[in-house]
Amino acid sequence: AAHGLEQRVLDLETGQRGFILTRQPQFLMPWQQAREELPARERALLDLVRGDAAQEARVRKIARAARSYIDDYSVPLVNAAARGDPSAKTVAATAEGEARVRVIRADFAGLLEAERRTSAATSGASARAARRAYAGLVVGVVLSLALVALYAGYLTRASVGPIRRAAALAGRVAGGDLTARL
């Protein structure tokens, strides 16, 4: 979401720059599309970081800077270029835009670095939880096998004893002892 929002900001800059340099309206299509998509992308990113006050503040700062870039710089510059105002092509005008975008990109870098740190911490916690779960699984399997072995021993003793007694009695009967009773 952050990369998508950052890409819209870059589309604003490249679209306006292309239009200012060439005065060809097709460069305004990505610029206009980025202006339209920006609010929804800001809201989506804000929804994703909701609950993390520091990240929410970063996203709000980026959104304010992007809106300021559009309202205070980009739209007036594009309008001046559309009117044919030569001041729109000045180095000062384009340098200001580049400086503003550099600040916004630095804010994105801070946002993404904080997300990487959060992700690394979450990943470490997940790995520890996975190791604990695996250890629990091994202990559970060993205990289950021990219980199965104990139950098998019990069943063997419970069923083999009577069979041995019956075999012994059968041997006595075969030996001629007809008093044996099963």
Side-chain angles (χ1 to χ4, degrees):
H3 286 298
L5 180 58
E6 184 177 21
Q7 187 59 51
R8 296 298 77 77
V9 170
L10 296 176
D11 288 347
L12 286 168
E13 181 189 25
T14 56
Q16 90 188 3
R17 186 179 300 167
F19 177 72
I20 290 167
L21 293 174
T22 66
R23 290 216 181 109
Q24 293 181 8
Q26 70 260 25
F27 284 103
L28 289 180
M29 288 188 295
W31 179 78
Q32 186 59 39
Q33 185 176 2
R35 284 179 60 200
E36 292 169 3
E37 290 180 11
L38 213 60
R41 296 221 180 221
E42 289 169 359
R43 283 190 303 275
L45 183 56
L46 194 56
D47 286 344
L48 289 172
V49 298
R50 194 157 321 279
D52 183 340
Q55 288 296 73
E56 283 185 47
R58 284 184 182 98
V59 172
R60 289 183 197 286
K61 181 181 178 192
I62 289 169
R64 279 190 309 272
R67 282 192 297 276
S68 173
Y69 176 80
I70 292 169
D71 297 339
D72 302 336
Y73 174 76
S74 189
V75 170
L77 189 61
V78 167
N79 289 340
R83 288 189 312 267
D85 187 340
S87 67
K89 283 189 176 183
T90 65
V91 173
T94 57
E96 180 186 347
E98 289 172 2
R100 285 176 175 239
V101 170
R102 258 195 314 278
V103 169
I104 294 170
R105 292 188 83 184
D107 291 339
F108 274 112
L111 174 80
L112 293 172
E113 180 56 32
E115 285 299 317
R116 276 191 279 281
R117 284 192 306 269
T118 300
S119 177
T122 302
S123 178
S126 296
R128 288 188 296 279
R131 285 192 297 274
R132 284 192 304 272
Y134 182 74
L137 173 70
V138 169
V139 167
V141 167
V142 168
L143 287 175
S144 295
L145 289 174
L147 287 173
V148 166
L150 287 173
Y151 188 64
Y154 167 76
L155 285 179
T156 300
R157 201 167 2 129
S159 61
V160 169
I163 292 172
R164 282 190 181 151
R165 283 193 302 275
L169 285 175
R172 282 177 43 202
V173 170
D177 182 6
L178 299 177
T179 61
R181 294 184 53 97
L182 181 59

